[in-house]
Amino acid sequence: MTKEKIFTKNFCFSFLSLLSISMVMYMLMATITQYATEFGSSATLAGLVSGMYVVGGMFSRLAAGKGMETFGWKKMGLAAAGFHFAACCLYPFVNSLPLLILVRFLHGLGFGAASSAIMTIGMSVLPAGRFGEAAGYFMLGTTISVGIGPFVGGYIYDTFGGIGCFLCAMVLSFLVGVFLFFVDLTGVETGKDANLPKEEGESLVRKLIEPR
């Protein structure tokens, strides 16, 4: 019996999208604290600057699932990737610590929503018969970035400074959307409810969390 293919076009583009957005996260996570010290930041505030990206991601993940159901996985992913890229482009214009914290939060919002969509899309295109094996390969996108992202970020920072790091992050952020664009979800995407009637008086909590 012929085995289902793992390394399809959809798999490769989903994997590259995950790798790119993860590289942005770990490259900047390793260098942003050093950059924050240029504004006279204490170690505590530098830690806040670094972690604010994750805080933003946490908030956007709460709404990302509902957004994917409403607008579609790919549309939500592309919109979030675009926001992630736009926020990344703000770094070179930051001239104060409070502004850097704000940009980190906004960047994190884009990361949380985009990565949620990428994970959903990536898992959906894996072959059912070899799902465990394929999922292991797919998650290498995160593993690789954890391993080399801080090194790459540190090398670029030492060589070209913070601006060089931000420019590299911008390129990778842009590629996230490019790779995602080429994923074909025909016959795969489910859960789209943009045309379904909305419940009257539905609270924000019920939109995000199913109490049951």
Side-chain angles (χ1 to χ4, degrees):
M1 182 177 178
T2 304
K3 286 187 176 181
E4 295 177 274
K5 292 183 179 180
I6 293 178
F7 301 102
T8 61
K9 182 197 78 170
N10 280 339
F11 174 90
C12 291
F13 281 126
S14 298
F15 173 84
L16 290 172
S17 189
L18 177 63
L19 176 63
S20 297
I21 200 169
S22 298
M23 282 292 292
V24 172
M25 177 181 182
Y26 290 105
M27 278 176 52
L28 294 184
M29 194 73 75
T31 57
I32 200 69
T33 51
Q34 178 67 28
Y35 185 74
T37 62
E38 296 182 14
F39 298 106
S41 168
S42 64
T44 301
L45 287 178
L48 178 63
V49 169
S50 179
M52 192 56 65
Y53 187 80
V54 178
V55 173
M58 178 186 69
F59 280 104
S60 64
R61 283 183 189 276
L62 292 174
K66 185 64 177 178
M68 284 188 282
E69 290 180 358
T70 303
F71 304 107
W73 300 347
K74 190 169 180 178
K75 285 183 179 179
M76 181 66 187
L78 289 173
F83 185 90
H84 183 259
F85 170 69
C88 194
C89 292
L90 295 176
Y91 283 108
F93 302 101
V94 170
N95 56 13
S96 68
L97 190 61
L99 190 56
L100 181 59
I101 293 173
L102 175 61
V103 170
R104 287 291 287 169
F105 180 76
L106 293 175
H107 199 194
L109 287 177
F111 165 77
S115 60
S116 294
I118 291 168
M119 290 297 295
T120 301
I121 291 170
M123 290 298 177
S124 73
V125 301
L126 302 183
R130 302 176 68 186
F131 186 83
E133 181 184 1
Y137 285 123
F138 179 67
M139 291 308 298
L140 278 175
T142 299
T143 305
I144 292 171
S145 63
V146 171
I148 69 172
F151 167 75
V152 172
Y155 177 79
I156 294 174
Y157 191 91
D158 287 341
T159 307
F160 303 103
I163 296 301
C165 230
F166 297 143
L167 289 175
C168 183
M170 279 184 239
V171 172
L172 289 171
S173 292
F174 180 76
L175 290 176
V176 171
V178 172
F179 293 137
L180 201 56
F181 177 80
F182 287 106
V183 178
D184 183 7
L185 294 181
T186 304
V188 176
E189 187 171 353
T190 60
K192 194 172 179 180
D193 64 4
N195 297 318
L196 296 181
K198 306 300 178 185
E199 295 183 21
E200 295 295 331
E202 187 180 26
S203 68
L204 177 61
V205 173
R206 286 184 174 274
K207 287 180 180 179
L208 301 179
I209 301 173
E210 172 52 63
R212 288 176 296 182

